[in-house]
Amino acid sequence: MNRTGLSAEQAARHLAEDGPNSLPQAGTRSIWRIMSEVMREPMLVLLLVGGLAYLLLGDLTEALILLAFASFSVVVTIMQESRTEHVLEALRDLSAPRALVIRDGEQIRVAGCEVVRGDIMLLEQGDRIAADAVLLEANDLQADESLLTGESLPVGKRAATEGEETSALRPGGEGQPLVYSGSMATRGNGLAHVVATGVATQIGQIGKSLATLDTEVPRLRLETARIVRLCAVGGALVALMVGVLYGMTRGGWLEALLAGISIGMSMLPEEFPVVLTIFLAVGAWRISKARVLTRRAAAIETLGSTTVLCTDKTGTLTENRMAVAQLWLPAEGATEIDLRQGIPDKYASLIETGIFASAVVAIDPMEVAIHEAGRSSDRPTADAWTFVHSYGLRPDLLAMSNVWQTPEKLIVAAKGAPEAIATLCRLDAKQSEQMMRAADVMAEQGIRVLGVAVADTANPQPAESHRDYHFSLVGLIGLADPLRASVPSAVAECRAAGVRVMMITGDYAKTARSIALQAGLADGEVLTGTEMDGLDDAQLAERLRSVTICARIMPEQKLRIVEALKAAGEIVAMTGDGVNDAPSLKAAHIGIAMGKRGTDVAREASAIVLLDDDFGAIVKAITLGRRIYDNIRKAMAFIFAVHVPIAGFALAPLLLGLPILFGPIHIALLEMVIDPVCAFVFEAEEEEPNIMTRPPRAPDERLFSWGMIAWSVFQGATAFAILAGIYAFALLQGFDERYVRALVFFALVAAILALIFVNRSYGASVIRALGRKNKALLYVLSSLVVISLVILFVPMIATLLKFGSLDWQDFLMAFAGSAAVLLFLQAMKLVVFRQPSRMEVDP
């Protein structure tokens, strides 16, 4: 093959044919398109329509509040949606570094986007590889392909043989003749012929799949749309009924129209979108204190319903770094190593020799780990030693050696594959068997094993090959990617909460099973990528029911696993940190990216980012998600319940031919009570005791079922019946209309308080309903007392509201009615809720 490279003319022609070596901006949405999509959200439409209606009715306060919430929602949503558009941009930046190529026989450095098919690239240690290429030369070349494979260890590369077929090769695995765009050369150097650029590269294929994937629509958004439609229909019917009754019984159809609009607006539950906006926004703030960034707020609630948590191994369960885990000496055997306690003295020489066999400035993760182990021990310094020569890895001998000059002699330190070290040391069969048995024991635990040997010579000149030295075996160094300390407890909590944890990794099955056992994953089957290729979608979904570990999995297979789980009705959360994880992160119901070690691509494709890469933070997010969902249901049950007596007192006087009790101003006052209660009091409610010991809710469970609506209406009907008794009593006593209005209004406020306490907890205990800690409730109660005193004792306000004066006996009657509502409904919970911990009363 011609190694003088392309001519400038050829490069220009290839660039015109194939396009720049970058990923296209397919599917990019403008800010106006995002705004248009946001403005069609049912929740936002309800806020805007409600605000406009109140504005037309002249209720400026309610209008401004609703419009402020709408504006806030628009701005936040547009900002969040705009950030998701950076996914392909991050991929383009990652896939297009600068490159050193040969053009017209000369070495020139060009922008990554200008590399073309047919270019000859020169690769050096530390280079980010600009395109997929076949190696023409490889001198001790190793590449970190973790962005594509998810595995932290670099892999060795070799030059391709004449006529070798490479099109079927994929990233990962030792001894490949291909290098891939986005990976990094960690050692050695090489010469490579570019065979793919832009979207045709492996990283480009991932970008292409991202461009075709749609982000999963949050279930909460779908449920909200359903509730809004139901409430809009209900509000319209009530408004129509009031208007017709008013016109038929009182005359004056214009007044009837205004009455219908007024009552209809009072029945429109603008609290629903307010509740959802505040709950999710405050929930995002709460979880941020646990160092978890929420990029799409609705994902927190969805995370609470997760049934399967798919997790990558490297960088997610593990720390994505190598560390010395075990050391073995022929005479001492193996020992576990805790670097916090230092290296035992008898093993110090093994680490010392391993350091001398490594690069002076370590880049390779295994060499970095050996150097770190050396710093934790009191090993002798080698300041007087001088580096002389290095022997690199070769395909026929997977070992490397460094030659050092001491004042007396040359010292040669070697490390490499155990079988290569056995060859260098010329071990007999018994010695070789002893060492290989120890290496196999480590390998079965998922540990990468290096043999270490040393030789010396009085000859001042290095030998032609390190085979020419007489090495002595020093021992074995076992290196592993350590499990994160928080993982075992987090996995245990997930299992207790009914969340199945599944490991999906590109690593070998033995290594994956070892990490799974350390993490405490439930025993289950292992599914490999090769086995998976033999299954159709239905067979895969069935097989995944019993699988705990998916090993040797390629990026597109991760995506297929997520899709199969979703098709089986699971709510899927997917964690990851590499480019290879981005499609599955985007396709999952909840994508969770690592913040520190994760790539920009993974973070931008995710809904949630763990800022400290703490797997344990996922459990906190699940807990918060379940709490948010519970509290949303409590708030909405309260909203439905509290509007029943309001509607009752809007309709009853019309049906009975009695004076109308409440006008728009009274309803506005009641809304001032209801809004902060449902938005802040219920949001601040603490979680239920069994929140992380109960299974996830069923994937098809409604946010607000018909059974739940029935229970809420029953609550409201109970409150209305007791208040109607007070109303009837006041009428029978012949009390003044102003007195009756004031009495029923404050009795209704007291009943609202009772409904708050009823809906605070799913349990039937009155003590628990009253005694749960909630500072927001205390603030609301204090405000209610102050407002009530102002209404009663400021004559101008009482006159405006057409209220008569009340005495302490009247307040006693109002609170007696409230107590009756509370006690009766708490008692009814024993009948209605067969499972008090779950607010589900569907037949």
Side-chain angles (χ1 to χ4, degrees):
M1 179 179 291
N2 178 16
R3 301 194 181 192
T4 60
L6 301 174
S7 66
E9 182 182 349
Q10 288 174 318
R13 186 168 63 251
H14 286 188
L15 186 62
E17 292 173 355
D18 299 338
N21 181 32
S22 59
L23 299 183
Q25 297 186 354
T28 300
R29 297 183 298 169
S30 68
I31 191 72
W32 300 111
R33 179 181 170 188
I34 293 173
M35 184 178 294
S36 172
E37 293 174 358
V38 170
M39 295 296 289
R40 292 198 297 267
E41 289 295 325
M43 181 171 71
L44 183 61
V45 169
L46 184 59
L47 278 171
L48 292 173
V49 170
L52 181 62
Y54 273 117
L55 196 62
L56 292 175
L57 288 171
D59 194 338
L60 186 61
T61 302
E62 284 288 328
L64 290 177
I65 291 174
L66 292 182
L67 292 175
F69 273 119
S71 301
F72 173 77
S73 178
V74 169
V75 171
V76 170
T77 305
I78 288 176
M79 288 177 61
Q80 291 176 335
E81 292 294 328
S82 297
R83 291 184 65 186
T84 65
E85 293 303 309
H86 294 305
V87 177
L88 294 178
E89 183 179 345
L91 267 171
R92 286 192 298 275
D93 292 342
L94 187 61
S95 62
R98 294 185 65 80
L100 185 63
V101 300
I102 299 176
R103 298 262 177 95
D104 293 316
E106 296 183 359
Q107 297 181 17
I108 62 170
R109 192 168 293 278
V110 299
C113 61
E114 297 177 8
V115 173
V116 298
R117 177 175 43 85
D119 262 331
I120 303 297
M121 290 192 302
L122 286 83
L123 306 176
E124 296 288 345
Q125 179 176 305
D127 285 351
R128 178 74 70 180
I129 297 169
D132 289 4
V134 175
L135 285 165
L136 305 178
E137 296 178 8
N139 301 311
D140 192 20
L141 181 64
Q142 291 191 0
D144 177 0
E145 297 177 352
S146 59
L147 292 180
L148 293 166
T149 65
E151 302 313 312
S152 57
L153 290 177
V155 290
K157 297 295 181 178
R158 62 172 176 83
T161 58
E162 187 70 27
E164 182 176 0
E165 177 59 42
T166 60
S167 60
L169 296 176
R170 306 300 301 275
E174 286 284 340
Q176 281 198 19
L178 277 176
V179 290
Y180 298 95
S181 175
S183 60
M184 179 177 286
T186 60
R187 176 191 290 175
N189 57 73
L191 196 68
H193 174 250
V194 175
V195 294
T197 61
V199 75
T201 63
Q202 291 293 323
I203 197 173
Q205 292 301 305
I206 294 175
K208 186 177 179 181
S209 68
L210 275 173
T212 61
L213 287 173
D214 292 324
T215 302
E216 185 74 23
V217 178
R219 295 173 65 249
L220 192 62
R221 185 181 301 177
L222 299 175
E223 287 294 303
T224 302
R226 172 176 173 264
I227 294 170
V228 167
R229 287 194 297 270
L230 290 174
C231 293
V233 172
L237 290 175
V238 171
L240 179 62
M241 187 181 301
V242 168
V244 171
L245 285 173
Y246 193 102
M248 293 178 63
T249 58
R250 308 295 173 93
W253 287 101
L254 180 58
E255 290 79 3
L257 177 61
L258 292 174
I261 292 175
S262 176
I263 298 300
M265 285 305 303
S266 74
M267 294 303 299
L268 273 178
E270 74 273 13
E271 299 91 353
F272 281 171
V274 170
V275 161
L276 292 171
T277 300
I278 290 179
F279 274 48
L280 295 177
V282 176
W285 170 75
R286 290 186 188 279
I287 198 63
S288 71
K289 294 193 292 185
R291 302 286 294 161
V292 176
L293 172 67
T294 306
R295 300 188 63 254
R296 290 191 288 274
I300 298 179
E301 178 278 327
T302 309
L303 187 60
S305 64
T306 299
T307 59
V308 176
L309 174 57
C310 298
T311 174
D312 189 23
K313 177 182 71 69
T314 305
T316 306
L317 294 178
T318 65
E319 296 181 5
N320 196 24
R321 66 179 181 87
M322 298 305 292
V324 173
Q326 287 190 26
L327 297 174
W328 177 86
L329 297 175
E332 300 290 340
T335 185
E336 301 280 344
I337 296 299
D338 183 349
L339 294 182
R340 293 170 298 184
Q341 299 176 7
I343 302 296
D345 291 341
K346 64 180 68 175
Y347 293 90
S349 62
L350 174 57
I351 289 294
E352 179 186 358
T353 307
I355 291 172
F356 292 143
S358 303
V360 177
V361 179
I363 295 178
D364 180 273
M366 291 189 292
E367 293 186 342
V368 170
I370 294 172
H371 276 274
E372 288 179 351
R375 286 192 289 270
S376 71
S377 67
D378 298 325
R379 66 182 182 85
T381 60
D383 296 337
W385 292 20
T386 303
F387 177 76
V388 176
H389 185 66
S390 178
Y391 301 98
L393 290 166
R394 298 183 62 83
D396 58 337
L397 186 67
L398 297 177
M400 65 167 291
S401 303
N402 288 336
V403 182
W404 297 83
Q405 177 70 61
T406 72
E408 298 84 18
K409 55 188 175 181
L410 292 181
I411 298 293
V412 187
K415 71 174 181 7
E419 57 272 21
I421 294 299
T423 299
L424 285 178
C425 295
R426 299 174 177 86
L427 299 181
D428 59 32
K430 183 177 180 180
Q431 293 171 322
S432 180
E433 182 184 358
Q434 179 192 18
M435 183 185 69
M436 294 308 298
R437 190 184 307 116
D440 289 342
V441 170
M442 290 187 192
E444 288 175 0
Q445 301 173 49
I447 294 174
R448 185 77 172 261
V449 185
L450 291 177
V452 176
V454 67
D456 60 66
T457 178
N459 189 338
Q461 294 300 319
E464 184 177 341
S465 168
H466 51 176
R467 291 178 182 270
D468 297 331
Y469 295 106
H470 296 282
F471 283 96
S472 299
L473 177 64
V474 179
L476 299 175
I477 298 178
L479 302 111
D481 189 358
L483 189 73
R484 293 183 183 274
S486 62
V487 167
S489 60
V491 169
E493 288 189 67
C494 286
R495 292 178 62 184
V499 180
R500 182 159 65 100
V501 181
M502 179 186 297
M503 181 196 295
I504 303 177
T505 177
D507 212 339
Y508 290 97
K510 277 189 176 182
T511 304
R513 182 175 286 280
S514 174
I515 293 296
L517 291 174
Q518 295 176 49
L521 296 182
D523 292 336
E525 297 179 14
V526 177
L527 176 66
T528 65
T530 303
E531 294 172 330
M532 183 176 159
D533 286 338
L535 302 175
D536 60 28
D537 291 344
Q539 291 171 326
L540 177 60
E542 182 62 31
R543 179 73 186 279
L544 288 175
R545 295 179 185 275
S546 57
V547 167
T548 300
I549 301 167
C550 297
R552 303 303 290 165
I553 299 297
M554 298 304 295
E556 66 275 12
Q557 291 178 317
K558 289 186 178 183
L559 179 59
R560 190 180 168 209
I561 289 170
V562 170
E563 297 289 4
L565 290 169
K566 288 168 61 178
E570 304 283 5
I571 303 299
V572 183
M574 173 74 187
T575 72
D577 59 358
V579 172
N580 63 309
D581 296 321
S584 50
L585 287 172
K586 190 174 182 181
H589 293 100
I590 315 102
I592 308 170
M594 301 295 125
K596 284 186 175 179
R597 292 182 173 86
T599 60
D600 287 344
V601 181
R603 287 193 289 268
E604 293 293 341
S606 300
I608 291 174
V609 179
L610 307 182
L611 296 180
D612 290 334
D613 293 3
D614 182 8
F615 184 83
I618 296 176
V619 177
K620 298 176 184 176
I622 291 175
T623 302
L624 182 65
R626 293 188 176 191
R627 168 181 163 175
I628 287 174
Y629 186 79
D630 282 353
N631 288 345
I632 286 175
R633 298 194 79 190
K634 293 173 184 178
M636 292 189 171
F638 167 78
I639 292 168
F640 260 118
V642 81
H643 278 88
V644 172
I646 294 176
F649 281 108
L651 295 174
L654 290 173
L655 293 173
L656 299 175
L658 299 172
I660 294 177
L661 279 179
F662 302 143
I665 191 169
H666 302 100
I667 295 172
L669 269 177
L670 291 172
E671 292 293 334
M672 288 179 64
V673 175
I674 296 170
D675 286 354
V677 166
C678 61
F680 295 106
V681 172
F682 283 105
E683 190 286 325
E685 281 297 324
E686 61 189 21
E687 61 268 14
E688 295 294 316
N690 67 339
I691 195 166
M692 288 300 286
T693 57
R694 72 191 190 210
R697 67 178 185 270
D700 58 350
E701 179 180 307
R702 295 290 189 183
L703 175 64
F704 214 62
S705 64
W706 286 111
M708 190 65 252
I709 294 174
W711 167 240
S712 297
V713 171
F714 179 78
Q715 292 183 64
T718 299
F720 176 68
I722 293 175
L723 294 174
I726 295 175
Y727 179 44
F729 172 78
L731 291 177
L732 291 175
Q733 294 298 317
F735 292 134
D736 177 70
E737 178 184 328
R738 289 174 174 265
Y739 169 85
V740 174
R741 180 176 292 111
L743 176 62
V744 175
F745 181 87
F746 284 104
L748 181 55
V749 171
I752 290 174
L753 294 179
L755 292 174
I756 293 172
F757 288 112
V758 169
N759 288 285
R760 290 184 71 197
S761 172
Y762 297 152
S765 168
V766 176
I767 295 176
R768 179 165 177 76
L770 295 172
R772 289 164 65 95
K773 295 179 181 178
N774 189 328
K775 289 184 179 180
L777 177 58
L778 294 178
Y779 296 147
V780 168
L781 291 177
S782 301
S783 301
L784 279 179
V785 171
V786 172
I787 292 172
S788 298
L789 291 174
V790 170
I791 291 173
L792 287 172
F793 295 106
V794 176
M796 183 177 66
I797 296 178
T799 301
L800 180 65
L801 296 174
K802 300 179 182 179
F803 279 174
S805 60
L806 301 177
D807 56 29
W808 67 270
Q809 294 174 328
D810 300 317
F811 284 104
L812 185 62
M813 184 187 306
F815 282 102
S818 174
V821 171
L822 174 62
L823 294 174
F824 177 74
L825 291 177
Q826 284 295 116
M828 286 301 298
K829 284 184 180 181
L830 294 172
V831 178
V832 175
F833 297 114
R834 295 185 180 91
Q835 294 177 306
S837 64
R838 297 299 302 273
M839 207 166 184
E840 184 60 57
V841 293
D842 279 339

